[in-house]
Amino acid sequence: MLFKQTYWLKSVLAIDEEFLRKNRVRALILDMDNTLSMHGDPAAESGIPEWLNKMRRLGVRMCVVSNNTTKRVAPLAAKLGLPFTANGAKPLTFGVNRAVKKMRVKKRETLVVGDQIFTDVMAGNLAGIRTVLVEPFHLEKTWTFRLKRKAESLVFHRNYDDLEMK
């Protein structure tokens, strides 16, 4: 289903060695805003640099795909040591497919990870890649984000009793 994620986790930080092994994952396509950092913040959220290092030690390939501009994405991606695709055009598949090629991985061993159904989850599903919906680090206050979250609630009710918490 177009709007249905494969997995729902509290945070990108919940992706660990067991989760990767159990689901045969070798690569992660990561959204930036509210997945690795607060929207518009030039720094990663607490725990992200350490988590990325753990993923690297496990041999996981990673690439950021963001709808944001290179001006926004490049500085944080550089700080985190991650390749990236800016202007990813999610929910279209251009950025996601570029990331798969860049990482030289198979779609079946890859996950698209992000906080939004209508961009991240849809892009992964349209590209034929499993998806992980994570909760945003912080809820944005702007009316556009509130509208997006309201629209998302029409297709996905966040029942926190079902959340795979780690």
Side-chain angles (χ1 to χ4, degrees), residues 1-2 4-7 23-30 63 65 90 92-101 103 105-114 119-133:
M1 189 167 126
L2 189 59
K4 179 81 170 121
Q5 73 285 346
T6 312
Y7 309 101
N23 295 295
R24 297 188 172 117
V25 175
R26 292 186 54 230
L28 299 171
I29 297 171
L30 301 163
C63 184
V65 175
K90 297 178 290 184
L92 301 177
T93 61
F94 304 117
V96 169
N97 287 329
R98 270 187 250 142
V100 168
K101 285 182 183 172
M103 293 187 292
V105 293
K106 293 177 174 62
K107 288 183 176 184
R108 71 175 177 266
E109 58 193 16
T110 304
L111 295 176
V112 173
V113 183
T119 55
D120 308 308
V121 171
M122 283 181 63
N125 288 339
L126 287 169
I129 300 173
R130 294 174 293 165
T131 59
V132 177
L133 179 65

Side-chain angles (χ1 to χ4, degrees), residues 18-150:
E18 179 186 346
F19 180 87
L20 296 168
R21 188 180 67 255
K22 182 172 121 181
N23 295 295
R24 297 188 172 117
V25 175
R26 292 186 54 230
L28 299 171
I29 297 171
L30 301 163
D31 177 50
M32 180 172 280
D33 291 326
N34 286 321
T35 302
L36 300 177
S37 69
M38 179 59 185
H39 185 80
D41 192 333
E45 284 290 318
S46 177
I48 292 297
E50 297 82 4
W51 176 81
L52 291 170
N53 287 334
K54 182 178 178 184
M55 293 296 107
R56 286 184 188 101
R57 284 192 304 275
L58 292 171
V60 177
R61 295 180 184 187
M62 297 173 285
C63 184
V64 170
V65 175
S66 175
N67 284 351
N68 234 310
T69 64
T70 299
K71 182 180 177 182
R72 158 72 179 123
V73 179
L76 183 54
K79 279 184 193 175
L80 298 175
L82 293 172
F84 70 92
T85 296
N87 304 307
K90 297 178 290 184
L92 301 177
T93 61
F94 304 117
V96 169
N97 287 329
R98 270 187 250 142
V100 168
K101 285 182 183 172
K102 197 178 281 192
M103 293 187 292
R104 297 182 193 151
V105 293
K106 293 177 174 62
K107 288 183 176 184
R108 71 175 177 266
E109 58 193 16
T110 304
L111 295 176
V112 173
V113 183
D115 69 301
Q116 292 188 57
I117 293 170
F118 297 132
T119 55
D120 308 308
V121 171
M122 283 181 63
N125 288 339
L126 287 169
I129 300 173
R130 294 174 293 165
T131 59
V132 177
L133 179 65
V134 296
E135 292 301 299
F137 281 111
H138 307 281
L139 289 176
E140 303 88 347
K141 305 279 191 261
T142 64
W143 70 270
T144 54
F145 270 100
R146 288 197 321 260
L147 182 62
K148 280 185 197 180
R149 299 295 180 196
K150 186 74 167 168

